Amino acid sequence: MARGWYGLYLGDRVVYEEIEGTIVKLFALDKNKGLLLDDTGNEHTIVCEYCTKIPPKDGLLTFRPLSDIQYTVLLYNTDDFLDVYSFTGDEIEDKVMRIVTNAGNEIEKIAVYVRETASNLNSLY
């Protein structure tokens, strides 16, 4: 089964029908439906297929973490060890950057997951 949502993730900044905002919810039953929070605080139901993603600038992560979401970070080391961390959206970029800086070339791969408590789906970033 494909992931859906046309490549959008929670926290992505998008433009939908001339409305710019942040994806705050992706619906589990309709994998082409999401909820967009614009800069004025209004929520808009969107069709993911018609969103244009705005990439983040100057950051380690390829998505914009949401502050009230828990993220699980898996760090695969070159010596076959796996480190598992859990961070909130407010602290993830700073903490992962600190770990990467201290670990140097020992990290082979980083995987970031978010757990949506309402739908019990895991999303990989």
Side-chain angles (χ1 to χ4, degrees):
M1 183 161 93
R3 184 185 177 285
W5 303 292
Y6 286 84
L8 294 181
Y9 294 95
L10 292 176
D12 278 347
R13 191 101 176 129
V14 299
V15 175
Y16 175 75
E17 294 182 351
E18 300 182 13
I19 301 169
E20 186 175 322
T22 304
I23 300 294
V24 293
K25 183 175 183 178
L26 296 169
F27 292 88
L29 295 178
D30 184 352
K31 300 236 178 186
N32 194 18
K33 185 177 178 183
L35 193 63
L36 178 78
L37 183 66
D38 67 17
D39 296 334
T40 61
N42 296 324
E43 292 181 343
H44 306 272
T45 302
I46 53 112
V47 178
C48 298
E49 180 179 0
Y50 301 118
C51 289
T52 304
K53 197 186 284 192
I54 303 170
K57 298 176 185 170
D58 301 330
L60 175 68
L61 304 174
T62 59
F63 65 97
R64 291 179 176 87
L66 297 173
S67 60
D68 56 343
I69 299 289
Q70 278 293 119
Y71 294 90
T72 300
V73 178
L74 305 178
L75 297 172
Y76 297 88
N77 296 322
T78 54
D79 52 1
D80 293 332
F81 284 104
L82 173 66
D83 295 324
V84 180
Y85 299 93
S86 183
F87 303 116
T88 64
D90 293 329
E91 62 187 9
I92 186 171
E93 187 149 10
D94 181 50
K95 300 281 187 173
V96 170
M97 182 58 98
R98 193 174 301 161
I99 292 169
V100 169
T101 302
N102 292 334
N105 293 332
E106 298 175 12
I107 297 175
E108 185 175 309
K109 181 173 102 173
I110 299 173
V112 179
Y113 291 88
V114 62
R115 176 126 181 136
E116 300 176 45
T117 55
S119 63
N120 292 327
L121 293 177
N122 286 320
S123 300
L124 173 65
Y125 288 96

